[in-house]
Amino acid sequence: RQSRCETQTNLLFLIRRMCRIYSAATSSVQQSRGLVGIRTTAFACAACVADAIARVKCIDDPSPFSLHYSGLNEGPTRPFGFESGSFEKLAANLPIYDPQLTSLRFQCLDYMRGMTIKDDGTWNPTIFNFDTSLTPYGGDLELINHLSIELALPRPHPMTENAMVTHAARLIS
């Protein structure tokens, strides 16, 4: 699984663009529980595909984010994942009557669990847990700390959780 950096960037950009178009198109029709179930499954699929693309190590110019996120960077690092969060609860309560979409929803949930839980039963750190907290914490802070070290960005001293959250917010914005 190798790719060029340009290809990886273009694929991620196209997924983002498709999601924006799909969101606009599905928001302009009458809402129903079935449509919400289909729409959340479509966005979950896009997230899973984008996750898989971001994990690929580029052969020409691998990005530090991709290396740290996938756990392929040198040094003491481990892969990160993202949890299904409220999608799992939402998906269980929304009707989808098409067996292919139901299978797709299951595959997305299975992929997300597979990226979060290792084979030995331990958990990978997770990022983007905005259904739990709107501030970065846990895996977000760990990933930003790894990237700050790699890119020689200033880090807060002392390394308190509050200082790290403020530091992460400044880096992201």
Side-chain angles (χ1 to χ4, degrees):
R1 297 182 351 172
Q2 292 184 339
S3 123
R4 291 180 34 228
C5 184
E6 175 188 12
T7 305
Q8 184 182 41
T9 305
N10 286 339
L11 286 172
L12 291 171
F13 173 77
L14 288 172
I15 289 172
R16 177 177 172 254
R17 190 171 183 189
M18 285 185 341
C19 286
R20 293 179 76 177
I21 292 168
Y22 184 73
S23 177
T26 57
S27 296
S28 64
V29 297
Q30 185 173 359
Q31 301 297 306
S32 69
R33 289 183 47 161
L35 178 63
V36 172
I38 293 168
R39 185 171 49 203
T40 55
T41 301
F43 285 127
C45 290
C48 291
V49 171
D51 180 79
I53 291 170
R55 290 179 186 283
V56 173
K57 181 179 179 180
C58 294
I59 55 175
D60 55 349
D61 185 22
S63 76
F65 171 79
S66 181
L67 292 173
H68 283 283
Y69 184 64
S70 64
L72 298 175
N73 197 49
E74 296 175 0
T77 187
R78 54 190 174 161
F80 292 85
F82 65 98
E83 291 186 33
S84 58
S86 60
F87 171 64
E88 189 166 357
K89 295 176 190 87
L90 182 68
N93 295 320
L94 291 173
I96 295 181
Y97 301 110
D98 183 2
Q100 291 175 334
L101 287 173
T102 304
S103 173
L104 198 57
R105 178 169 59 187
F106 173 76
Q107 289 174 357
C108 289
L109 289 168
D110 193 42
Y111 177 83
M112 290 177 199
R113 282 188 204 107
M115 291 295 113
T116 306
I117 302 172
K118 297 182 203 175
D119 293 336
D120 62 359
T122 59
W123 293 75
N124 283 326
T126 57
I127 61 173
F128 306 134
N129 296 318
F130 297 122
D131 59 327
T132 306
S133 172
L134 294 178
T135 59
Y137 77 100
D140 300 310
L141 297 177
E142 186 177 334
L143 180 62
I144 288 173
N145 191 34
H146 285 284
L147 289 170
S148 295
I149 292 169
E150 168 112 7
L151 300 173
L153 298 173
R155 296 183 305 149
H157 184 77
M159 296 276 285
T160 63
E161 185 172 347
N162 191 25
M164 283 301 293
V165 168
T166 304
H167 173 65
R170 272 190 275 135
L171 284 178
I172 292 170
S173 62

